[in-house]
Amino acid sequence: MISRRRFLKTSLSALAFAAIPKISFSQSNPDVVVIGGGSSGLSVTAELMKKGKSVLCVDAMSRKGGRCFTNTSIFGVPYDLGAHWLHNFNFNQIAQYGKKQKDIFDIYKDPDTVMIYDGQKKIKGMKLYGLYKKLGKLKNKTKDDIPLSNKIKEKWLENEWFATAHQIRFPCESGKDIDQYTAADGKLNWESYGEGSQGGDGFVKQGYGALLAHYRQNVPVQLQTTVNEVKWDGNGVKVVTNKGTISAKACVITVSTSAFNSGKIKFTPALPIEKYEAYDAFSCSNYNHVTLQLKDDFYKEYKVKPDMYFTPKITTKGLKSPEGYCSTMNLHDSKISYFDVGGQFAKDLEKAGSKAGIDFVLQTLRNTFGSDFDKFYIKGHMTTWGKNPFVLGAWASATPGKADLRKNIKTSVADKLFFAGEATAKNYGTVHGADRSGARVAKEVLSFV
Ligand SMILES: Cc1cc2nc3c(=O)[nH]c(=O)nc-3n(C[C@H](O)[C@H](O)[C@H](O)COP(=O)(O)OP(=O)(O)OC[C@H]3O[C@@H](n4cnc5c(N)ncnc54)[C@H](O)[C@@H]3O)c2cc1C
């Protein structure tokens, strides 16, 4: 018999994507229009609603969650197309919410187990760890706003594990290669925030997107509503969408920096130049999941524990974007494994298409586990966030030399245009950071509306 706990857990996906109340524009014009129903937009909407404000949150996509969304149809198990790690686990307010919903969510700390391969040989990887630590130290110590590649030692490049350490520290952590990465921006995230990366990471078996959807289940979003223009001359704002024009006292913009930079939302009159400069300096980095569903026999034969990190040696030379991935295998024991690509290589692979991405990963697995590896393969999928017109990348990341402009992304304009989203958060590039940015902006809005 299906237990209550099991029933709740299995019916979760239905709840997460259940029909969302429709709001008609004729319902009268709201106090505030929120553009974007991702983590930050849902947060600002919830906070303003709590304070009795009328809010209309709109999103161009046909679902809530933005870059934090769990798909259950591709593999028949929860599959996070975007965010997956519950970062800052001990302090993450969304994880804390989920931990209280024991009937619905299985939330646990990242077991942090690793298997490293040099070709077909499983190794301890001490050389890799040594270099990985050096790159981490460099990242933390450097204050200069320059490409971090300017600071690396020539002899590190000769180390046979350089490309692998580069991959883990840069494309996987920031979606950027070391020559596009400025440690001055990293500083803001890991040090000025105080809590830094303490608390490690956690996972939620039902998917981070499903958890976010539950956390914000009472927040209505008007879907498939694309904002084309924000007119902010005169009184209040007029938000022009494909479904009509909404008048409001204020507007909160939560779209990704690259969606903003695409110019799809026109501002009339134009925003102050500093705003465009700041967004432009922080366009989105590149990061995608190539995901394979593999037979249980594979995980058994190679003793792959749930959520185990798999690191095969990458042989790309010098500073070139590493042609490889960071893999998390057998996610939550669901038999699907991520092979995450980042930086320029991710961009190239996205351009080449999903089949090329899956073929690339399969070839590396044949190289490691034998030419007959395909006997374990069931199905593959690759995300293409850079092609999603309403996101256009992974998360905001500083252009070297311009890290200081991040603070200008979040400044309000004329006491009626407000800016939230992961790029404006202290814990930027994360779901819980985006959520906190929504709470910050709600307070700001309340002093004017
Ligand atoms: C592959 C990948 C892996 C990631 N992994 C992690 C992770 O493990 N842990 C973690 O914490 N974070 C991770 N992140 C980052 C995290 O997903 C984001 O930081 C966070 O979800 C961003 O939320 P947001 O509200 O700022 O933006 P979004 O989620 O992008 O929300 C903005 C919304 O605006 C909408 N929009 C855009 N243009 C318009 C328009 N013109 N009209 C109407 N609506 C519009 C979009 O449709 C979107 O829904 C990952 C991201 C990616 C892409």
Side-chain angles (χ1 to χ4, degrees):
M1 200 177 74
I2 191 163
S3 68
R4 175 179 144 75
R5 183 177 157 86
R6 180 86 189 285
F7 172 74
L8 281 167
K9 287 185 179 177
T10 48
S11 56
L12 184 68
S13 53
L15 173 87
F17 313 119
I20 290 150
K22 285 246 155 44
I23 300 169
S24 112
F25 289 169
S26 61
Q27 189 190 356
S28 87
N29 289 314
D31 293 325
V32 184
V33 177
V34 175
I35 308 177
S39 175
S40 59
L42 293 169
S43 164
V44 69
T45 306
E47 294 297 321
L48 290 172
M49 280 168 60
K50 257 194 244 164
K51 298 286 177 192
K53 298 292 167 195
S54 60
V55 194
L56 180 53
C57 178
V58 298
D59 199 293
M61 293 202 233
S62 52
R63 56 168 184 77
K64 301 205 260 187
R67 283 170 272 174
C68 184
F69 178 73
T70 307
N71 173 294
T72 50
S73 61
I74 297 172
F75 295 112
V77 292
Y79 166 33
D80 277 316
L81 297 176
H84 149 254
W85 279 285
L86 304 167
H87 292 310
N88 297 119
F89 190 51
N90 296 343
F91 306 94
N92 183 319
Q93 67 282 9
I94 306 171
Q96 277 160 7
Y97 167 85
K99 281 180 199 164
K100 289 187 198 141
Q101 314 288 322
K102 285 196 174 53
D103 273 358
I104 304 176
F105 294 104
D106 294 287
I107 295 192
Y108 56 100
K109 205 164 168 50
D110 178 353
D112 227 345
T113 52
V114 185
M115 59 181 201
I116 303 171
Y117 274 76
D118 184 354
Q120 298 199 334
K121 209 167 140 210
K122 197 172 179 179
I123 58 155
K124 291 224 159 70
M126 299 318 285
K127 269 191 181 174
L128 170 64
Y129 283 125
L131 197 54
Y132 171 79
K133 275 194 185 156
K134 282 178 188 154
L135 288 176
K137 220 168 157 188
L138 180 70
K139 218 170 169 177
N140 287 331
K141 253 180 38 196
T142 306
K143 292 194 169 65
D144 306 338
D145 191 4
I146 54 170
L148 197 60
S149 49
N150 293 8
K151 294 269 182 184
I152 61 168
K153 296 189 175 144
E154 203 54 36
K155 65 175 182 199
W156 294 354
L157 284 176
E158 285 151 26
N159 186 317
E160 59 182 320
W161 287 95
F162 179 77
T164 317
H166 178 188
Q167 171 73 25
I168 307 170
R169 277 287 181 212
F170 296 93
C172 285
E173 283 184 7
S174 62
K176 279 199 163 176
D177 301 322
I178 191 169
D179 58 355
Q180 301 296 319
Y181 177 87
T182 166
D185 190 37
K187 283 265 163 234
L188 288 173
N189 199 10
W190 302 114
E191 288 186 2
S192 13
Y193 198 41
E195 68 189 38
S197 61
Q198 289 165 36
D201 293 323
F203 293 126
V204 48
K205 187 174 177 150
Q206 290 72 18
Y208 205 168
L211 174 59
L212 179 70
H214 197 274
Y215 177 57
R216 294 302 185 196
Q217 61 186 303
N218 296 322
V219 179
V221 180
Q222 175 82 33
L223 298 172
Q224 292 173 311
T225 305
T226 306
V227 174
N228 298 314
E229 187 175 2
V230 176
K231 296 180 181 173
W232 57 283
D233 47 353
N235 281 339
V237 291
K238 288 202 174 1
V239 178
V240 182
T241 79
N242 61 331
K243 302 232 172 115
T245 299
I246 317 156
S247 299
K249 292 180 190 155
C251 174
V252 181
I253 296 105
T254 76
V255 306
S256 77
T257 49
S258 287
F260 178 97
N261 292 337
S262 73
K264 284 202 186 79
I265 303 177
K266 184 181 170 203
F267 290 88
T268 310
L271 297 172
I273 187 76
E274 297 77 36
K275 196 51 103 180
Y276 295 103
E277 280 171 355
Y279 270 87
D280 186 56
F282 279 84
S283 60
C284 289
S285 58
N286 306 296
Y287 192 91
N288 275 313
H289 304 303
V290 181
T291 311
L292 303 190
Q293 188 168 38
L294 302 172
K295 289 186 185 152
D296 198 26
D297 295 357
F298 166 74
Y299 299 113
K300 281 195 179 125
E301 190 169 328
Y302 290 94
K303 298 187 173 52
V304 181
K305 296 183 194 136
D307 306 298
M308 191 171 210
Y309 296 115
F310 161 58
T311 307
K313 187 194 218 172
I314 302 171
T315 54
T316 309
K317 297 281 173 245
L319 284 173
K320 203 170 162 247
S321 186
E323 295 184 10
Y325 47 71
C326 291
S327 171
T328 315
M329 286 197 152
N330 196 10
L331 294 160
H332 329 304
D333 206 14
S334 69
K335 318 302 171 210
I336 63 170
S337 292
Y338 278 151
F339 301 86
D340 291 351
V341 290
Q344 184 60 42
F345 180 63
K347 200 171 179 181
D348 295 344
L349 214 53
E350 191 169 308
K351 205 167 165 201
S354 299
K355 186 178 176 309
I358 293 164
D359 285 349
F360 167 78
V361 170
L362 278 173
Q363 188 50 48
T364 64
L365 295 172
R366 285 179 208 119
N367 295 344
T368 307
F369 300 108
S371 55
D372 61 346
F373 177 83
D374 292 36
K375 67 185 179 202
F376 299 120
Y377 175 64
I378 301 172
K379 196 176 175 183
H381 178 268
M382 183 169 100
T383 63
T384 51
W385 286 100
K387 287 183 185 163
N388 181 322
F390 304 112
V391 178
L392 295 168
W395 53 85
S397 178
T399 303
K402 298 189 174 175
D404 193 40
L405 298 186
R406 191 185 277 274
K407 60 184 184 314
N408 297 347
I409 301 176
K410 68 175 181 197
T411 50
S412 60
V413 173
D415 300 339
K416 56 182 168 181
L417 299 181
F418 299 88
F419 298 82
E422 57 85 11
T424 70
K426 286 179 178 170
N427 271 100
Y428 56 80
T430 67
V431 176
H432 70 292
D435 179 74
R436 286 178 192 178
S437 80
R440 170 190 58 79
V441 161
K443 275 195 197 143
E444 228 185 306
V445 172
L446 285 167
S447 35
F448 297 103
V449 173

